[in-house]
Amino acid sequence: MGHGQQETAATSLADAVAQEIGASLAPVDAELDRRYPGDPGTRQPVHTVYVPGDAFTADTVRSWGDRALAALDEHAPDAAALAAVLGLSDELAEPVHARVRAKLEREPVEDLRVDFEDGYGVRPDAEEDRAAARAARLIAEAHADGSATPYAGIRMKCMEAAVRDRGIRTLDVFLTALTEAGPLPDGLVLTLPKVTYPEQVTAMVRLLEAFEKTRGLAPGRLGFEIQIETSQAVLATDGTATVARMIQAADGRATGLHYGTFDYSACLGVSAAHQASDHPAADHAKAVMQVAAAGTGVRVSDGSTNVLPVGPTEQVHDAWRLHYGLTRRALARAYYQGWDMHPGHLPTRYAAVFAFYREGFAHAADRLARYANRTGGDVMDEPATAKALSGYLLRGLDCGALDPDEVTGATGLTRAALEGFAAPRRGDLTASAP
């Protein structure tokens, strides 16, 4: 073939063949779009803090922050001390310590759940009514004065027969009071615990639909988290993954799957001394949750540790090392959220999160910049990897581990560009790398 002569492309199939195949797969295309819309692209909190309904007050969040700062001042007063406890490198010690302090001063809690289930217990109806209404008032007031956490809501009692009516009433009281206080906050989160059957999820959907219709809210305005705390929630009697059926039963309203460390462990017969988020039983449950939720827009949250950082300094340090290690382990496994049960857990929650994003920042930024600029490098990245890299940087920005200027400086990309890589169209993920 002569120089400059172009190839000609010949085909054997009639256009009707591709058209017929496209028509036959149209229902599958629609099903993929409906069931697997992808990540919503919104901020995911790094943790959830549970506070019993009777203990929640207007200064709860600030009190948690102050108590966390006091613990830091007492048991790790400077960067070197914190680094020695947690094994941070010299390079990370100062920026992590400084950012932890700043976070505890500015935004100690990212996601607050006022608890009317295990942390609250069974109370007289009138008492729980008052506590639910008060929770709504305090959350509404916090949004009005600018002191609200990015996410907040309640955990009601479950849909099992013994407590079903009480749970429904508490949710109704809370949402009614919140609605009457003004527009519902964007960060509203509702949590349905101890779900065992998809039908209980369907019941929650019907409950929220009824409330929306009664109060004139837009259809679908109210979503909810599903807590995975029983063996039945992971594996059904027919051997199928119940959790996947629960996501579908939520009809687009499920926002998260939260692993319940201690209820689930006890359900499987794990002894109290070995009930932890790194137990093999916990790893199996979360792996099933993770696969079931992938691509659906439903996010997975790890559970908690019940080892509290209290007492003498040596004991606090031991608890901090445990919590830090569990949090880092979860992050490496793509569980980007967990539960914190005590103010003393906040320093190590943020230390773990900030160290995770800062230690990998330079490499991730360089890889994404090379991909975006088509300059290559020592790794051949594809669209799916670019999605992961940009998602990593966005999570670091959202929690405060990274600053916008340093991310843009290292990548040459604005946040909008990062979001574009993090949420590509479905077909883009199967395209070849640039």
Side-chain angles (χ1 to χ4, degrees):
M1 184 176 292
H3 180 71
Q5 189 173 354
Q6 295 185 350
E7 295 280 359
T8 58
T11 62
S12 300
L13 299 176
D15 291 344
V17 175
Q19 293 170 0
E20 180 183 348
I21 291 175
S24 70
L25 290 178
V28 173
D29 295 337
E31 188 78 347
L32 279 170
D33 287 339
R34 184 176 73 86
R35 294 185 181 273
Y36 299 98
D39 189 86
T42 55
R43 174 182 179 180
Q44 181 179 9
V46 302
H47 70 168
T48 302
V49 164
Y50 279 80
V51 177
D54 59 324
F56 178 48
T57 65
D59 66 351
T60 290
V61 173
R62 187 61 265 154
S63 173
W64 272 61
D66 290 344
R67 291 167 64 188
L69 283 166
L72 195 61
D73 288 340
E74 181 177 357
H75 303 294
D78 53 37
L82 186 65
V85 175
L86 303 180
L88 298 174
S89 67
D90 292 342
E91 183 181 3
L92 285 175
E94 185 58 44
V96 167
H97 183 267
R99 285 171 189 270
V100 168
R101 286 200 62 88
K103 182 75 169 182
L104 294 176
E105 292 168 353
R106 182 187 73 255
E107 188 182 72
V109 175
E110 291 196 357
D111 184 24
L112 175 70
R113 202 71 71 252
V114 185
D115 190 15
F116 290 93
E117 202 230 356
D118 284 349
Y120 185 76
V122 178
R123 310 288 183 94
D125 284 340
E127 181 179 344
E128 185 159 339
D129 283 352
R130 289 192 297 271
R134 184 168 60 90
R137 175 177 59 80
L138 292 174
I139 289 175
E141 290 175 353
H143 277 276
D145 65 22
S147 65
T149 56
Y151 296 90
I154 67 167
R155 176 169 71 169
M156 59 190 281
K157 290 177 171 63
C158 70
M159 284 290 182
E160 293 180 357
V163 294
R164 182 185 304 139
D165 289 347
R166 181 62 259 182
I168 291 172
R169 180 174 176 84
T170 297
L171 183 66
D172 188 5
V173 170
F174 173 78
L175 287 177
T176 297
L178 198 59
T179 303
E180 291 179 349
L184 292 178
D186 291 336
L188 175 65
V189 188
L190 308 173
T191 304
L192 180 66
K194 293 183 175 60
V195 184
T196 53
Y197 280 76
E199 289 81 359
Q200 294 168 331
V201 174
T202 300
M204 183 68 166
V205 171
R206 291 174 178 169
L207 179 61
L208 297 180
E209 286 176 342
F211 189 88
E212 288 168 350
K213 183 176 180 180
T214 300
R215 301 298 304 198
L217 300 176
R221 171 63 182 85
L222 299 170
F224 61 99
E225 301 169 335
I226 300 170
Q227 282 202 266
I228 306 302
E229 303 176 87
T230 67
S231 61
Q232 297 94 333
V234 174
L235 194 69
T237 55
D238 62 0
T240 60
T242 318
V243 65
R245 294 164 57 196
M246 289 176 177
I247 291 173
Q248 299 310 316
D251 197 23
R253 292 179 185 264
T255 58
L257 300 174
H258 283 229
Y259 176 67
T261 303
F262 306 104
D263 282 290
Y264 187 83
S265 299
C267 181
L268 268 61
V270 179
S271 63
H274 298 283
Q275 292 178 0
S277 61
D278 58 351
H279 190 281
D283 285 341
H284 171 262
K286 287 180 285 189
V288 174
M289 292 162 59
Q290 189 174 44
V291 174
T296 65
V298 178
R299 288 156 165 176
V300 175
S301 173
D302 199 0
S304 60
T305 175
N306 60 359
V307 179
L308 304 184
V310 297
T313 294
E314 183 178 358
Q315 186 172 320
V316 171
H317 285 179
D318 286 342
W320 273 356
R321 279 188 285 267
L322 173 65
H323 185 241
Y324 178 86
L326 290 173
T327 302
R328 288 300 306 263
R329 183 181 190 272
L331 290 167
R333 286 159 174 75
Y335 308 133
Y336 298 113
Q337 185 175 354
W339 301 3
D340 288 326
M341 301 180 68
H342 187 274
H345 285 142
L346 299 186
T348 39
R349 168 68 61 183
Y350 292 122
V353 169
F354 294 165
F356 177 75
Y357 289 111
R358 293 207 64 80
E359 71 184 17
F361 165 58
H363 186 59
D366 179 67
R367 284 180 67 178
L368 187 58
R370 289 180 179 276
Y371 178 90
N373 295 323
R374 301 173 181 263
T375 57
D378 58 355
V379 179
M380 182 177 290
D381 286 325
E382 298 186 358
T385 306
K387 176 181 179 179
L389 290 168
S390 55
Y392 172 87
L393 296 176
L394 286 168
R395 290 179 184 279
L397 285 168
D398 285 342
C399 69
L402 306 174
D403 297 325
D405 289 346
E406 67 177 337
V407 172
T408 299
T411 63
L413 300 172
T414 63
R415 183 180 179 104
L418 290 175
E419 291 172 346
F421 281 118
R425 295 170 299 175
R426 186 184 305 281
D428 292 343
L429 291 178
T430 58
S432 59

